[in-house]
Amino acid sequence: MSQNPYVKALKSFDPKTQLIVNEKFNVSALGAVDTLSDLEPDDFEQEMSEESGKEAYSYKTGGAISADIVSLENSLNKTILLVTNTSGEIYLLTPESNKLKALVKFKINGSISKTPAYADGVLYCTTKEGAVYAIQTGLKTAQDVRSLKPQVIWQRRMKKGILTEPQATGKLLIIATLAGIYGFEAYYLDESQKSIGKPLWAKGIMGSVVSSPLVHGGLIYLGSEENRLYAFEYGGRKVDLLWSYKSTGGIRVKPYVSQKTGDVLFGTLDGYVYCLEGKTGKYKWNFVTKSPCLSNIISTVEGGEELYYFGADDGQFYCVNSQGKKKWEFKAGGKIRTEALAKNQRIYFGCSDNRLYALDLTTGKELFNFSTDGNIHGKPLVVDDVVILDQLIRSFMEFIYK
């Protein structure tokens, strides 16, 4: 496939010479050019309620928030939100009387820049410096909030830094570091019945890995800086390469699997979105953007038709059908690197122009936008009638009426 004429390639990086993780978890960038800098965000027709797009309330943490805000399943029948930040702080919060109440706040060593995984009451956090933590939250069995006393039940230091999200199934924990992908047992019932953290398998990857893995249908999909998407089969104590596909640019987004066909989709640094057969890796189609695609892809299925949504660095937000044809596009005011959220016939996404956008899902018409004091980095979350979003720069979470 020829080079995208619209896009000037972003610089790749070599972690062997430009990123070193030492025994104290300190990260040192070597050389004059920070080739990892473009992984970080910039610093800076439906009936509408009169409250739509207005601030409901906000909450400030002790560090910059770059991971998604997640609603956690629990035994308390409460809405409990997980919030993490780059200072290593972990908050469990609950909405109460138009404000947020902190149920639990604790801290680990390192910078949490990626969204943790959560399974069976256990929270799995990774740090940019290369540490992995398993934390028993108590949310699966707690009878009241006073009994919530999170404890670290396992931790491990990896040899390389981690710039990806962990994946957990309840029995398996998957970690992708800059050097490769690793599988660990994740079974934990109590201190007498556990096998958490036991290594199962490991696989080196050609080129650095900053694409979060996706686990689907017995396969693990993973992209690399060396312009390849990999599909691995896993089971027991082994993992085997099923296929790999050579793209025209590096892959830094999490792959996405179609709800209807099982096809796998991903964007690249040179501005392509690819669609491959999930089981074979056979090429099906590509869609060309005019800038790097660093926004995770999502889809909706309406009336039997599946539509895909994603943004690009030139501020364009796209809706594309299952044949790779554009249905509509919308122009925002900055880079779009957040994963979008489709909810109640609307689609929400954050942008580096410090705004949250809400569009009509069918037409792409702007319904409202909300201006914040900082770049929105995480995926929006809707709880009841409130949209929750984070701001990387000022460490705030904003709550606005949808």
Side-chain angles (χ1 to χ4, degrees), residues 1-5 7 9-10 224-229 245-251 266-274 283 286-288:
M1 184 175 296
S2 60
Q3 183 177 358
N4 187 341
V7 177
L10 294 178
S224 82
E225 288 285 292
E226 295 299 317
N227 306 358
R228 281 199 177 274
L229 184 79
Y245 179 84
K246 178 73 171 177
S247 62
T248 54
I251 305 165
F266 60 95
T268 64
L269 295 181
D270 63 343
Y272 284 99
V273 171
Y274 288 86
Y283 171 87
N286 75 78
F287 179 83
V288 181

Side-chain angles (χ1 to χ4, degrees), residues 57-326:
Y57 42 92
S58 64
Y59 187 94
K60 191 177 191 303
T61 75
I65 304 170
S66 64
D68 295 345
I69 299 164
V70 181
S71 182
L72 302 180
E73 292 185 1
N74 62 86
S75 59
L76 300 171
N77 295 320
K78 285 180 171 287
T79 296
I80 295 181
L81 305 176
L82 168 69
V83 181
T84 59
N85 63 32
T86 56
S87 295
E89 294 177 341
I90 301 171
Y91 295 78
L92 300 182
L93 309 173
T94 187
E96 190 174 281
S97 301
N98 289 327
K99 64 180 181 179
L100 275 181
K101 178 181 178 180
L103 302 178
V104 174
K105 174 187 172 183
F106 56 104
K107 188 174 182 178
I108 61 175
N109 293 324
S111 174
I112 306 173
S113 61
K114 295 298 180 179
T115 307
Y118 179 74
D120 293 334
V122 178
L123 187 66
Y124 299 93
C125 296
T126 58
T127 70
K128 189 162 58 175
E129 296 83 2
V132 184
Y133 292 86
I135 300 163
Q136 174 57 265
T137 65
L139 288 174
K140 186 177 180 180
T141 58
Q143 299 301 310
D144 59 71
V145 296
R146 291 172 296 181
S147 65
L148 292 177
K149 296 179 181 179
Q151 295 181 336
V152 175
I153 56 176
W154 172 75
Q155 59 183 300
R156 184 183 181 94
R157 181 175 59 232
M158 308 301 290
K159 293 181 179 179
K160 295 290 184 179
I162 303 172
L163 301 178
T164 63
E165 299 174 3
Q167 302 294 309
T169 66
K171 294 183 178 180
L172 176 67
L173 172 65
I174 296 173
I175 302 293
T177 74
L178 287 168
I181 188 168
Y182 301 82
F184 300 93
E185 287 193 14
Y187 174 73
Y188 182 89
L189 183 60
D190 54 39
E191 283 301 308
S192 64
Q193 301 181 69
K194 64 177 182 179
S195 57
I196 195 166
K198 182 180 179 181
L200 293 174
W201 45 257
K203 196 79 170 180
I205 302 292
M206 182 181 297
S208 305
V209 177
V210 296
S211 161
S212 294
L214 173 70
V215 181
H216 182 88
L219 298 179
I220 302 168
Y221 299 100
L222 182 70
S224 82
E225 288 285 292
E226 295 299 317
N227 306 358
R228 281 199 177 274
L229 184 79
Y230 297 91
F232 298 99
E233 293 181 303
Y234 68 94
R237 300 186 62 83
K238 67 176 184 177
V239 62
D240 296 307
L241 179 65
L242 179 62
W243 55 261
S244 70
Y245 179 84
K246 178 73 171 177
S247 62
T248 54
I251 305 165
R252 293 183 181 176
V253 299
K254 184 178 181 178
Y256 181 79
V257 171
S258 161
Q259 298 181 56
K260 291 190 65 179
T261 65
D263 293 338
V264 60
L265 293 88
F266 60 95
T268 64
L269 295 181
D270 63 343
Y272 284 99
V273 171
Y274 288 86
C275 178
L276 313 176
E277 289 185 359
K279 296 295 185 183
T280 65
K282 181 180 178 181
Y283 171 87
K284 295 189 71 172
W285 52 261
N286 75 78
F287 179 83
V288 181
T289 72
K290 295 184 179 181
S291 65
C293 185
L294 291 165
S295 162
N296 287 343
I297 298 167
I298 68 165
S299 75
T300 62
V301 178
E302 297 287 341
E305 180 183 28
E306 185 167 19
L307 298 173
Y308 301 102
Y309 305 88
F310 52 89
D313 269 12
D314 62 354
Q316 294 294 136
F317 187 84
Y318 297 96
C319 173
V320 174
N321 69 16
S322 57
Q323 287 77 48
K325 305 300 181 183
K326 181 175 66 179

